[in-house]
Amino acid sequence: MPLKYVIPTAETFGKLTFEGKDREVTSGRSRIATGVVYNLLSEKQAELIEVQIPTRAGSKTFETDTEVELLNPKLEPTGRSTGYEAIASWKLTAENIKKKGDK
């Protein structure tokens, strides 16, 4: 049975702060926007965290260093091979992103 995704808890990343919009994700030949990737900082991770939010959630604009929460986050394993080596990583997606404490 393959691993499809892992659901992280609030403790997985600790405090998350918004660092800005990174890029739009498109699909198909018509280049239709399907999502937006935002950069976040975590108190438990050494590097920026990229989270992909679907375009149906709307555009998000927060001040830099605003504490945020992810709604229904999922970590999906990804991988690729380069000759004799394999590279494994994780893709973080969520249904939405909001300012911590907002409803």
Side-chain angles (χ1 to χ4, degrees):
M1 185 166 135
L3 177 64
K4 294 185 180 185
Y5 58 85
V6 174
I7 298 176
T9 64
E11 292 78 34
T12 303
F13 302 113
K15 178 181 169 184
L16 288 173
T17 56
F18 186 80
E19 294 302 314
K21 179 179 174 179
D22 188 5
R23 65 186 181 281
E24 287 190 353
V25 178
T26 58
S27 70
R29 296 182 77 169
S30 61
R31 311 300 282 170
I32 296 171
T34 58
V36 180
V37 175
Y38 295 99
N39 290 325
L40 306 176
L41 279 178
S42 164
E43 67 183 359
K44 294 187 176 185
Q45 303 292 321
E47 298 179 7
L48 280 174
I49 295 174
E50 294 182 341
V51 60
Q52 183 176 327
I53 308 293
T55 53
R56 70 178 179 273
S59 181
K60 305 299 175 187
T61 53
F62 303 110
E63 294 289 324
T64 302
D65 295 328
T66 300
E67 192 171 352
V68 294
E69 294 177 302
L70 300 175
L71 301 176
N72 298 323
K74 290 182 183 177
L75 282 167
E76 302 172 39
T78 61
R80 61 186 168 94
S81 64
T82 57
Y84 294 106
E85 297 178 355
I87 299 171
S89 62
W90 294 89
K91 176 183 170 185
L92 178 61
T93 60
E95 288 181 13
N96 208 339
I97 185 173
K98 67 175 187 157
K99 186 175 178 179
K100 184 152 181 141
D102 285 356
K103 291 187 179 190

